[in-house]
Amino acid sequence: MKDFSVTMALVDYIPVIFFAVAAVILMRDLYNKMSKGAFALFAAGCIDIVCAGALKATYKLLYAAVVCDFEALNAMFFPVQSSGFLLAGIGILAMVCHKQAKSQLLAVAPPVFSGTFVFVALMVAGLGLMDVVLCILSVKLKKPAVIVLFALSFVCSLCMGYLSPQNFAQAAMNWIAEGVNVVGQGTLLAGVILLHKNGLEGLRLHNGEEA
């Protein structure tokens, strides 16, 4: 039994709040003095420290309130907090020991990228690769008709890519996109179910594999 009280647990949040406020102030003040790498280490370390402390206080509160003994929150405290301090220490040490790149310190607004083309391209490429493999598996399972479902799924993904730059403030456009997405994901699911029912789990792709 641990001798925790609700008051003790609530008080345990106070140093966490204090450190969080101090960390925010430091990050704001030191941002223009740090390279991106140093600042990333420092910020990540501070976040780890705050999370570790908050979770530990939450563990005490749950225990004191007789909700549960969430031991994982207690066990992770030292590993997370210690690694956090290490990262924060390395980041702030780098600021004073190494000359920070001037190009990273100038308060110049970076160009704004608000397009979705990169993400759409990655989505289409990923789904395309997946559909190609599923078509190959359909042939191996002697179910070539299932290829139609995967082909339709891929066509729908292309349509989603075409629709992505449209104005989704309009309800009609949202309904169209949702309809295309439902069809695309529905045909993908249907094809996968058919492959499953026709022995996909036991399919041997290479000689020597267990069925």
Side-chain angles (χ1 to χ4, degrees):
M1 292 290 294
K2 300 179 177 67
D3 189 18
F4 294 156
S5 67
V6 173
T7 301
M8 178 192 300
L10 293 175
V11 170
D12 211 26
Y13 283 103
I14 295 176
V16 177
I17 295 171
F18 285 171
F19 181 85
V21 173
V24 170
I25 294 172
L26 282 174
M27 283 188 282
R28 288 173 62 89
D29 289 347
L30 301 179
Y31 178 76
N32 63 344
K33 302 172 181 62
M34 289 182 167
S35 66
K36 291 181 180 179
F39 184 80
L41 288 173
F42 181 71
C46 290
I47 292 171
D48 280 353
I49 295 166
V50 172
C51 288
L55 292 176
K56 179 65 177 289
T58 301
Y59 165 74
K60 290 182 179 179
L61 183 60
L62 292 173
Y63 191 95
V66 198
V67 175
C68 65
D69 184 2
F70 201 165
E71 182 59 32
L73 296 181
N74 185 44
M76 68 185 294
F77 174 72
F78 280 112
V80 174
Q81 189 172 78
S82 59
S83 61
F85 275 113
L86 178 62
L87 290 174
I90 293 173
I92 204 166
L93 181 64
M95 180 187 67
V96 296
C97 292
H98 298 280
K99 184 177 180 180
Q100 305 298 294
K102 294 295 183 182
S103 60
Q104 296 174 334
L105 301 179
L106 296 176
V108 178
V112 176
F113 175 75
S114 58
T116 59
F117 174 76
V118 174
F119 307 108
V120 171
L122 291 174
M123 178 193 75
V124 172
L127 185 55
L129 289 173
M130 187 168 66
D131 283 332
V132 167
V133 173
L134 290 174
C135 288
I136 293 173
L137 295 176
S138 300
V139 173
K140 285 182 174 291
L141 289 171
K142 298 180 180 179
K143 296 293 177 181
V146 182
I147 293 176
V148 175
L149 293 175
F150 296 129
L152 180 56
S153 173
F154 183 65
V155 170
C156 287
S157 75
L158 293 177
C159 292
M160 288 298 294
Y162 171 76
L163 292 171
S164 63
Q166 305 303 315
N167 182 14
F168 281 92
Q170 302 174 3
M173 188 57 64
N174 278 280
W175 279 114
I176 292 172
E178 288 181 7
V180 172
N181 202 24
V182 167
V183 173
Q185 301 307 316
T187 51
L188 177 66
L189 175 61
V192 169
I193 290 175
L194 287 174
L195 291 186
H196 174 73
K197 288 185 176 181
N198 285 279
L200 179 60
E201 183 178 2
L203 177 66
R204 289 187 295 177
L205 296 177
H206 307 285
N207 293 331
E209 289 185 350
E210 294 183 0

